[in-house]
Amino acid sequence: MSVILVQGYHSLKGELEIQGSKNAVLPMMAAAILHKGTTVLHHVPRIQDVFCMMGILESLGCVCRLEGHTLSIDARELTCCRIPEEGGKAMRSSIILLGALLGRCNEAFAHYPGGCSIGSRPIDLHLRALKELGAVIEEDDGVLHAASTGLSGTVIHLSYPSVGATENILLAAAGANGTTVLHGAAREPEVEVLCRMLGAMGVRIRGMGTELLEIQGEKTLGGGVFEVPGDRIVTGTYAAAVMAAGGRALFRRSSPRHLGCVLSTMKSMGAAIRIDQDGVEVSMEGRTRPWAVETGPYPGFPTDLQSLLMVLFAVGEGGGYLKETVFEGRFATAKELHKMGAAIIIEGKEAFVTGGQLRGACVRSCDLRGGAALVVAGLAADGETRITDCHHIDRGYEDICKDLQSLGAVIRRET
Ligand code: EPZ
């Protein structure tokens, strides 16, 4: 098990190329199995979730090759439609393979993905939509079996703009007969990236980037070469690091459009933001100003950066208020921040944070983004912070230590 050690009170300075987006590359990898040939993805992040998804695709019969940040997926020999239990449970988002496998093979087996520490994360919206497209889905002892004689386009209304359910529907409708009209689709940038990839593969999609999508299914989809966009949540994480530690940094390959209201929130909290053709520059002097944020589906404030804001409020001059409306269990990091002296009161979906000083402590990463938030807290704490269970962080960050070291942070990993 590896531990990350962070020394506080070192400001950050420099520039950094942001890795490819975890939440974009995973559905793009799923889309690759719709083409009976080779698909190439550039700017792929070398993270645990990508390695896990590669393992799952290989168990289905695909040939995956990751050279540097370029991934080629040859899905010609995809013969198996059974998502392995280990990979399926290790990564919740494997559930979006259901739609892709139904589109490709008219059948799929998947294990009911476990919930994780940020909430129960049910998949009822996924299953209901796939049934409306014509799949018959049975569950036996935690194993889902979905089958169809050929999916048929239909009209689907999502009661909540679920990112994963939207992606599953897109991947299933891509191979369905006829047209699917999806109301209430998620509008996250990663969904739009998937739409554009499917469009380039031959699926006619109208309404990209909106909550109303019209998908014209195609039996034979082409391959292609695609670019994974910069990871907006990693950009937001490192922008928060600059705000916590002070300094100035330019984040290349990050899209201001994808960062939606994150940049305006950070400006309101006292950061100076400069946008140019290279990316986004964030600088900060002094302590963050108090602010109030409610998370929500895109273009609202992303839940994945909620714990980073909690840290910024905890070290800010006037604290702040958070309301988490997406996942019911995403305040777990607060109890770790308490060990560092943070003054945080949690009441249901709300967190009331009083600004103050943090001190280094031994804390545990509870989940991917919570772990990253503890690293950022360590940058603004007095003394050394030890973060254990940082395998969670490796699921989404290529090398958080190397990235922050390159900006001047005193941080290292100890195995
Ligand atoms: C995606 O998860 C992201 N993961 C999450 O990022 C992100 O936090 C989330 O979208 C919201 O933006 C990937 O893209 C791999 P949802 P997903 O379905 O698809 C409820 C990270 O740290 N819901 O939009 O699982 C669900 O319980 C991860 O990178 C149902 O009730 O999110 C939650 O409360 C964490 N039934 C809400 O919807 C369903 O069938 C949003 O979930 C599906 C979802």
Side-chain angles (χ1 to χ4, degrees):
M1 178 184 77
S2 62
V3 175
I4 291 179
L5 304 171
V6 190
Q7 288 294 339
Y9 298 162
H10 293 270
S11 62
L12 302 182
K13 187 172 171 45
E15 62 179 69
L16 189 62
E17 177 171 304
I18 294 294
Q19 69 180 58
S21 163
K22 168 179 86 78
N23 293 349
V25 73
L26 294 175
M28 294 171 83
M29 291 172 74
I33 71 171
L34 294 174
H35 169 55
K36 294 177 181 170
T38 298
T39 300
V40 176
L41 305 179
H42 289 303
H43 197 215
V44 170
R46 299 180 68 92
I47 54 176
Q48 287 308 315
D49 273 12
V50 164
F51 305 145
C52 180
M53 184 65 105
M54 284 172 63
I56 293 171
L57 295 186
E58 284 166 346
S59 67
L60 300 176
C62 298
V63 177
C64 298
R65 197 167 52 246
L66 180 60
E67 291 172 345
H69 291 91
T70 294
L71 172 64
S72 69
I73 299 169
D74 182 345
R76 258 171 307 183
E77 304 303 326
L78 188 147
T79 50
C80 168
C81 59
R82 189 179 288 275
I83 300 168
E85 178 172 10
E86 189 189 350
K89 285 196 165 177
M91 190 181 58
R92 252 197 61 78
S93 55
S94 58
I95 200 67
I96 61 172
L97 283 169
L98 265 188
L101 283 168
L102 279 169
R104 171 75 188 261
C105 325
N106 288 329
E107 189 175 27
F109 292 84
H111 285 264
Y112 218 101
C116 79
S117 58
I118 61 174
S120 59
R121 303 184 78 178
I123 57 170
D124 55 314
L125 299 178
H126 298 244
L127 302 183
R128 188 178 313 141
L130 294 176
K131 286 174 184 169
E132 288 174 17
L133 282 162
V136 174
I137 302 179
E138 292 155 350
E139 183 191 336
D140 178 23
D141 194 22
V143 178
L144 293 168
H145 175 223
S148 85
T149 53
L151 298 177
S152 302
T154 185
V155 178
I156 297 171
H157 290 265
L158 274 179
S159 56
Y160 181 90
S162 157
V163 173
T166 301
E167 291 165 349
N168 233 333
I169 294 163
L170 279 163
L171 291 163
N177 301 308
T179 301
T180 297
V181 178
L182 173 56
H183 295 270
R187 295 170 50 199
E188 272 68 1
E190 294 78 26
V191 172
E192 189 176 340
V193 167
L194 177 61
C195 286
R196 295 196 182 288
M197 177 176 175
L198 290 172
M201 293 171 73
V203 182
R204 280 198 301 280
I205 298 176
R206 293 171 58 188
M208 293 185 193
T210 75
E211 61 85 38
L212 177 56
L213 297 175
E214 187 178 291
I215 306 116
Q216 175 67 42
E218 269 304 326
K219 262 306 155 214
T220 309
L221 294 185
V225 180
F226 304 92
E227 175 99 6
V228 180
D231 192 310
R232 63 190 173 104
I233 303 303
V234 172
T235 305
T237 302
Y238 294 159
V242 172
M243 293 178 69
R248 176 193 304 269
L250 170 66
F251 300 113
R252 288 187 281 104
R253 284 186 101 154
S254 50
S255 155
R257 185 170 74 87
H258 288 172
L259 280 163
C261 63
V262 174
L263 296 180
S264 53
T265 301
M266 291 181 161
K267 256 192 213 165
S268 307
M269 293 169 64
I273 307 283
R274 186 176 64 78
I275 292 167
D276 66 21
Q277 72 280 1
D278 286 335
V280 178
E281 182 185 78
V282 180
S283 51
M284 184 78 189
E285 282 178 19
R287 299 173 70 189
T288 53
R289 291 197 284 265
W291 204 248
V293 170
E294 177 173 323
T295 66
Y298 192 90
F301 192 92
T303 173
D304 292 349
L305 290 174
Q306 176 258 101
S307 43
L308 279 298
L309 271 199
M310 185 178 280
V311 170
L312 291 178
F313 290 155
V315 298
E317 69 189 26
Y321 166 83
L322 281 164
K323 185 170 185 180
E324 172 56 60
T325 70
V326 179
F327 289 108
E328 73 278 13
R330 207 162 200 179
F331 282 145
T333 304
K335 72 179 187 310
E336 299 303 311
L337 292 171
H338 286 149
K339 296 175 187 172
M340 300 176 73
I344 304 167
I345 296 171
I346 304 290
E347 286 178 5
K349 294 184 175 186
E350 297 178 303
F352 302 87
V353 187
T354 306
Q357 286 291 323
L358 294 185
R359 60 179 180 275
C362 186
V363 290
R364 187 175 68 83
S365 169
C366 308
D367 58 72
L368 164 56
R369 306 302 175 185
L374 292 173
V375 171
V376 171
L379 296 173
D382 182 14
E384 179 176 83
T385 299
R386 292 172 64 86
I387 298 138
T388 62
D389 288 7
C390 41
H391 57 277
H392 289 294
I393 302 172
D394 298 336
R395 283 193 43 226
Y397 295 83
E398 269 194 351
D399 191 337
I400 196 167
C401 291
K402 180 168 73 70
D403 284 349
L404 292 174
Q405 269 168 2
S406 72
L407 297 177
V410 178
I411 179 174
R412 64 186 172 85
R413 186 182 287 261
E414 192 180 73
T415 303

